[in-house]
Amino acid sequence: MKVNCKVLLLAVLAFFLCIDATAQSGAHNAYSPYSVYGVGDIFKEGSAYTRSMGGVGIATRNRRVINFTNPAAVTARDSLSFMADFGVIENNKVFNQTTDAGKFKSANNTFNISDFVLSFPIWRSSAFMVGITPFSDVGYDFTSHETDPDIIGKTGNVTYQSYGQGGVYQFFVGAGATFWKRLSVGAEFIYYFGTIDKVSNTVYTDESYRAINSGYTMQLRGTTGKFGLQYEQKLGSDLSLTLGATYRLSTNMGGYANVYRFATASEVSDTLIFRTDTLRNSGKLRFGDELGVGISLSSGENWSVEFDYLRSDWRKSGFDSYQGTMVEGSSSTFRSTVSQSFRAGFEYTPNRNDIRYYMKKVSYRGGLYFDRQYYCLDPSGRNVDAIGITLGMTFPVFKGNNGITVGLDFGRKGNFKDRSMVGEHYATIFVGMNLHDIWFQKTMYK
């Protein structure tokens, strides 16, 4: 048996880095004012390879990388190959808003691990994968001051503070098999886990008024399944058409939420509200299902183009009742709805086997996407959308199919018709390393 120690060492190192990322506290993994609702911003699934193509992957079959967007794609591989994928992501954002009070602008940047996945063959045309990626991120921090002179004249200066952090990760185990050399099917078990903290404070300069501290800490746990298939049809000696589909089941989330509200004056604190909501099997909180379809056209390992569509129904999520700080009698600013995504991408490699010019062996990628979020403003129903373009390159390293992918995602999030809503402009940088080696190879000579 031949085992590449270099690949094994890098895989173990990436694993411990990923575990450290899930354990960190006191820092934002991501930052967006729109993450105030529900479980925050849903993380776009996929490695740096698929993200640099606009986020496609449902119909992608590439034996050189792990495509965990569709569990059926795990079968696209060399029969003896061990594969690993490790990625990091940096978000750079600028926020602006125009209101009656004037124009406001701010900026923020965050860094996080995006994925760690391992994959290896099981038997003949079947394969296995295991990994961990973020599912959602919460990160925001707002401060405002009371401007109504009638209120200030009675209470003095009043400051309102709201902040939140945390998120949900997903650990998944999947397998797939190919039948008749054309049809690949796959299934995936997903375990969700994470903690979300949301806090709101009201502070008075006049000490005769008590400061109000309210919010909740929510711990979420849940399991679900995802299924996928891909059908590949040869159209010529090199040309192939691939159809793909995925479906993730909706699931009721378990865990609990500690809801609180305190009134504090000097060193004395009175408990106005403190209760624990048990979520397990109650149906109070529910993650929406997701249906995805895709089609791709490729010519060997020279070029490929793909288009994907995804739809996820969150209307019965139950997060409307957990909006804001859950103060009794408060109304929700957002409400759950149906999310949709349209994604298109391409890949081009001039000559993967060129021995003279390294840049001809580099893979070049690009893509476009439009994402409608799983929440909208209530009661107006204004949607929150994101639109962007992606670019990326994979540089071969070491030997064989090992490579480092560097990608960029430029986009805008908000409501494109209503400028009073916060406009979020972002430039996201993601870097991924895909490791590929032949394992369990019999020694031919001694």
Side-chain angles (χ1 to χ4, degrees), residues 204-238:
Y204 300 88
T205 55
D206 188 340
E207 295 183 357
S208 63
Y209 289 90
R210 297 188 298 177
I212 303 297
N213 170 243
S214 57
Y216 65 84
T217 297
M218 180 182 294
Q219 289 198 0
L220 294 173
R221 303 289 186 272
T223 58
T224 190
K226 184 177 181 179
F227 306 93
L229 62 86
Q230 290 182 329
Y231 180 81
E232 185 176 14
Q233 177 64 52
K234 296 292 185 180
L235 302 179
S237 58
D238 292 325

Side-chain angles (χ1 to χ4, degrees), residues 82-148:
F82 166 85
M83 304 169 72
D85 191 282
F86 174 65
V88 294
I89 185 170
E90 182 188 21
N91 285 302
N92 305 281
K93 299 182 178 182
V94 176
F95 309 97
N96 55 58
Q97 183 180 23
T98 301
T99 66
D100 295 337
K103 295 183 178 180
F104 302 91
K105 190 173 183 178
S106 63
N108 191 278
N109 59 76
T110 57
F111 179 84
N112 196 13
I113 293 175
S114 60
D115 68 89
F116 174 63
V117 186
L118 300 175
S119 176
F120 48 84
I122 301 176
W123 182 71
R124 292 187 179 179
S125 60
S126 59
F128 174 87
M129 65 178 173
V130 58
I132 184 172
T133 67
F135 177 77
S136 70
D137 293 303
V138 174
Y140 62 90
D141 192 346
F142 308 130
T143 300
S144 62
H145 303 278
E146 183 59 62
T147 58
D148 190 331

Side-chain angles (χ1 to χ4, degrees), residues 114-294:
S114 60
D115 68 89
F116 174 63
V117 186
L118 300 175
S119 176
F120 48 84
I122 301 176
W123 182 71
R124 292 187 179 179
S125 60
S126 59
F128 174 87
M129 65 178 173
V130 58
I132 184 172
T133 67
F135 177 77
S136 70
D137 293 303
V138 174
Y140 62 90
D141 192 346
F142 308 130
T143 300
S144 62
H145 303 278
E146 183 59 62
T147 58
D148 190 331
D150 293 335
I151 297 178
I152 296 175
K154 296 177 181 178
T155 65
N157 294 330
V158 185
T159 301
Y160 305 102
Q161 302 171 336
S162 296
Y163 61 89
Q165 62 184 24
V168 177
Y169 283 82
Q170 58 180 352
F171 171 80
F172 61 90
V173 177
T178 299
F179 303 94
W180 309 293
K181 297 182 179 181
R182 292 184 179 182
L183 178 64
S184 299
V185 296
E188 190 174 284
F189 167 82
I190 302 174
Y191 173 66
Y192 298 113
F193 63 97
T195 301
I196 296 173
D197 294 313
K198 295 186 179 181
V199 180
S200 180
N201 298 322
T202 303
V203 181
Y204 300 88
T205 55
D206 188 340
E207 295 183 357
S208 63
Y209 289 90
R210 297 188 298 177
I212 303 297
N213 170 243
S214 57
Y216 65 84
T217 297
M218 180 182 294
Q219 289 198 0
L220 294 173
R221 303 289 186 272
T223 58
T224 190
K226 184 177 181 179
F227 306 93
L229 62 86
Q230 290 182 329
Y231 180 81
E232 185 176 14
Q233 177 64 52
K234 296 292 185 180
L235 302 179
S237 58
D238 292 325
L239 203 61
S240 297
L241 178 70
T242 302
L243 304 176
T246 59
Y247 182 68
R248 187 190 69 217
L249 300 172
S250 60
T251 181
N252 292 333
M253 298 300 294
Y256 65 88
N258 286 330
V259 185
Y260 58 86
R261 191 182 190 195
F262 303 107
T264 305
S266 299
E267 297 180 357
V268 179
S269 180
D270 293 329
T271 301
L272 304 180
I273 298 173
F274 189 89
R275 71 174 188 269
T276 298
D277 291 346
T278 301
L279 306 177
R280 186 171 302 280
N281 299 323
S282 65
K284 290 183 179 180
L285 296 183
R286 185 178 182 86
F287 282 9
D289 63 350
E290 183 185 76
L291 173 66
V293 292

Side-chain angles (χ1 to χ4, degrees), residues 46-87:
S47 64
Y49 166 76
T50 56
R51 289 176 66 92
S52 60
M53 297 172 63
V56 299
I58 296 176
T60 297
R61 293 189 64 80
N62 189 322
R63 65 184 182 88
R64 299 177 182 272
V65 298
I66 305 175
N67 174 23
F68 52 90
T69 304
N70 187 338
V74 71
T75 60
R77 61 189 306 113
D78 292 329
S79 60
L80 297 177
S81 61
F82 166 85
M83 304 169 72
D85 191 282
F86 174 65

